[in-house]
Amino acid sequence: MHQIITPELRSWLQEQAAEGHSRQSLLDALLKAGWQPELAAVALDSEWAAHQRQQASTAAAPAQGQRLPDLDLALSPRQIDAGDRWVDVVATLATPRVVVLGNLLSADECDALVAAARPRLTRSLTVQTQTGGEELNPDRTSQGMFFSRGESELLARIEARIARLVNWPVDHGEGMQVLRYGAGAQYKPHYDYFDPAEPGTPTILRRGGQRVATLVMYLSEPVRGGGTVFPDAGLEVAPVRGNAVFFSYDRPHPATGTLHGGAPVIEGEKWVATKWLRERVFE
């Protein structure tokens, strides 16, 4: 049978890719419809490449008027009222948007988070960009676990404090993750947003859209090492117990300058709690 790659077929492939269907699922659909494997691959590869270029182009420019999580620093306050606690403004950076905070968590809250997380620790995973699942990654050598949002009175209290602090709804946040870094453990520089060019990203985005900001809270202090580094900004934030570092990104693109990582712990151990904020309600 003579088969032709028609404009209608190309349009259908573009529509399916835009709706979030994976390359493999589209290929399977073509084969099931009787397309020759070689011709199906040619048709799909052409349209898939165009789809990836379109996604990358869209990601490179910020959305007009997009609102982001942020702190109210218009009058250069030394402290911010977070509802149940006054939080210190230690340092700010405009580009990338980074704010170092002091006294976000009490010593008792740090200890309670560590105690609740410790029995549930497993080797930390990262997002599997091909499928939207999770995988072991040699770049991340910590142990970690996730709490459900609002899982306990402690979690609900801290999440409400964060929401007021950065002017972002509680339900737009992922569940808090707690990580333990022993001596030698690190997380090499990376971005927290989901790369639009990866095939698994549409699956991830269905649960609340892109990540738009990150808050890393320090629950303990290593003796040496373990800072949060921003290589593009030449910045390193020391892991001080009860303090935190907030940063936001207006689009999923390296131009945001939010490349960051957890430097190796040289001596002692470091515990952190991370809160990722999404565009929409995270379910």
Side-chain angles (χ1 to χ4, degrees):
M1 179 179 65
H2 184 61
Q3 296 177 320
I4 300 174
I5 302 174
T6 65
E8 291 76 16
L9 175 63
R10 293 186 184 279
S11 178
W12 181 82
L13 289 172
Q14 291 170 6
E15 291 172 358
Q16 296 303 302
E19 290 178 4
H21 295 281
S22 69
R23 182 188 182 283
Q24 186 59 53
S25 68
L26 295 180
L27 180 60
D28 291 343
L30 290 175
L31 296 178
K32 186 176 181 180
W35 280 81
Q36 299 171 11
E38 297 81 2
L39 192 57
V42 169
L44 182 55
D45 286 346
S46 174
E47 299 314 312
W48 193 260
H51 171 65
Q52 300 292 70
R53 287 193 299 271
Q54 176 61 35
Q55 284 191 314
S57 175
T58 301
Q64 295 297 318
Q66 180 183 10
R67 191 174 73 89
L68 293 173
D70 204 0
L71 298 90
D72 184 3
L73 303 178
L75 300 178
S76 300
R78 188 177 65 82
Q79 292 184 312
I80 296 179
D81 182 3
D84 63 341
R85 189 176 188 82
W86 284 89
V87 177
D88 300 328
V89 179
V90 177
T92 65
L93 194 63
T95 307
R97 180 55 159 171
V98 178
V99 183
V100 181
L101 301 166
N103 196 40
L104 177 61
L105 300 176
S106 70
D108 287 345
E109 288 172 333
C110 291
D111 291 344
L113 286 173
V114 169
R118 190 185 295 275
R120 295 160 60 176
L121 293 178
T122 59
R123 171 68 187 275
S124 297
L125 304 176
T126 59
V127 173
Q128 214 294 332
T129 55
Q130 295 297 308
T131 65
E134 294 181 313
E135 66 178 353
L136 286 174
N137 188 327
D139 289 346
R140 191 181 203 184
T141 52
S142 60
Q143 294 177 300
M145 56 77 64
F146 274 95
F147 290 111
S148 299
R149 195 174 58 224
E151 179 176 323
S152 67
E153 186 278 331
L154 171 67
L155 269 295
R157 182 172 74 245
I158 296 173
E159 288 166 346
R161 184 183 307 159
I162 293 169
R164 174 160 175 163
L165 184 69
V166 302
N167 301 291
W168 207 246
V170 170
D171 63 8
H172 284 42
E174 298 180 26
M176 192 180 300
Q177 183 186 46
V178 173
L179 298 168
R180 174 192 174 274
Y181 293 83
Q186 65 178 313
Y187 194 0
K188 293 182 180 179
H190 59 283
Y191 298 99
D192 281 353
Y193 58 73
F194 305 114
D195 187 348
E198 295 292 347
T201 293
T203 299
I204 300 168
L205 299 187
R206 290 172 188 158
R207 295 189 65 197
Q210 267 288 358
R211 286 176 176 168
V212 289
T214 302
L215 181 71
V216 179
M217 297 162 277
Y218 304 106
L219 308 181
S220 72
E221 301 175 10
V223 178
R224 291 188 296 156
T228 302
V229 297
F230 294 83
D232 293 343
L235 174 67
E236 180 171 350
V237 179
V240 177
R241 186 187 192 200
N243 285 10
V245 59
F246 166 86
F247 55 99
S248 61
Y249 22 99
D250 59 3
R251 57 202 185 279
H253 194 271
T256 58
T258 54
L259 183 70
H260 67 285
V265 173
I266 299 173
E267 182 180 354
E269 68 175 11
K270 176 182 73 171
W271 288 76
V272 301
T274 302
K275 186 72 173 177
W276 287 291
L277 305 179
R278 296 287 194 103
E279 292 177 297
R280 303 188 298 273
V281 174
F282 178 78
E283 298 175 333

